[in-house]
Amino acid sequence: MSPQRRDPAIRALLIDAAARILAEGGTAALTTRRLAAETSRSTMAIYTHLGGMERVQHAVRVDGFARLAAAVNAVSCSPDPVADLARVSDVYFSFGLSQPHLYRAMFIDRPVQDDDAGTAAFDRIVKAVRRCIDGQRLPSIEPAMVLMWAAQLWSMRHGIVTMVLSGALPEPQARHVLSDMTLRLLIGYGDDPAAARRSLRHALTPPGAPE
């Protein structure tokens, strides 16, 4: 019998199903039999596309962060770096809400020591902060503080997404909280309050709508 060929569509199907199982039941619920049953695929398909059950959870995490990185990296750069930073924030928030099972599974367990799955997504936030500094919207700071600010912005987004997914905060209120916290952080970092408000309004106003 010839080996199965890897199909990106089947891999995505398995990843999404595994993420749902992990989010709903934790690692104990994720078994070869259940994953095969929920996707109507053979156990061989799981080994072919994900490398066996011992690697499925890691594959879910890596794939999830790859999708998140693709989403935030799709935010184009405009002349207003603060507005771009707000757009990255909004995309992160929307990603978490649109793929709740995958998002939960990405953070469900402590990763292995060499896991750098989240680096690309984090680097996009770092880049957005640096553009605000280079554009003289935020003051020059030590490189370590750039990473600190980016981590604070990520933590804020993650916390709000988690609250919405858990039912602790309604989505409309969460969007308002996210915008307000972003504004307060930017002002705290040194941006002009009026300019920060204009940038956030511009970033979060749908195209064609009056600001």
Side-chain angles (χ1 to χ4, degrees):
M1 180 182 295
S2 60
Q4 290 188 10
R5 298 180 62 181
R6 294 184 179 181
D7 183 337
I10 294 177
R11 176 183 168 83
L13 176 70
L14 292 168
I15 289 288
D16 289 340
R20 183 176 64 254
I21 295 169
L22 284 167
E24 293 175 349
T27 55
L30 184 60
T31 64
T32 305
R33 178 176 295 182
R34 181 171 176 184
L35 183 57
E38 293 206 8
T39 57
S40 299
R41 299 291 168 178
S42 66
T43 55
M44 181 57 69
I46 296 172
Y47 285 95
T48 298
H49 292 85
L50 300 179
M53 288 306 297
E54 69 278 3
R55 297 177 60 183
V56 169
Q57 187 171 347
H58 184 249
V60 169
R61 176 179 167 83
V62 169
D63 194 85
F65 276 111
R67 295 186 196 183
L68 174 59
V72 295
N73 280 316
V75 177
S76 59
C77 293
S78 76
D80 187 339
V82 172
D84 295 343
L85 178 59
R87 290 189 188 96
V88 169
S89 174
D90 189 60
V91 167
Y92 184 105
F93 180 82
S94 297
F95 174 89
L97 267 58
S98 66
Q99 304 189 63
H101 296 304
L102 181 61
Y103 189 86
R104 289 190 183 100
M106 288 159 59
F107 296 95
I108 199 168
D109 271 337
R110 182 176 180 177
V112 295
Q113 289 296 320
D114 61 349
D115 187 342
D116 60 353
T119 300
F122 181 68
D123 285 348
R124 180 63 181 89
I125 302 175
V126 173
K127 176 183 176 182
V129 172
R130 284 180 175 148
R131 286 193 68 237
C132 293
I133 295 170
D134 293 342
Q136 299 184 337
R137 291 291 298 272
L138 298 179
S140 296
I141 54 174
E142 295 294 325
M145 285 303 298
V146 174
L147 299 179
M148 177 74 75
W149 286 0
Q152 290 171 350
L153 290 163
W154 181 314
S155 300
M156 175 187 67
R157 292 164 172 80
H158 176 67
I160 294 175
V161 169
T162 302
M163 290 182 71
V164 175
L165 294 183
S166 68
L169 193 65
E171 180 182 345
Q173 183 180 353
R175 288 189 178 278
H176 177 73
V177 171
L178 179 62
S179 176
D180 184 72
M181 289 181 69
T182 301
L183 174 65
R184 293 177 186 277
L185 280 176
L186 288 168
I187 293 173
Y189 294 158
D191 195 15
D192 175 75
R197 290 187 178 91
R198 284 195 300 271
S199 292
L200 264 62
R201 281 199 304 270
H202 179 67
L204 303 178
T205 300
E211 295 187 17

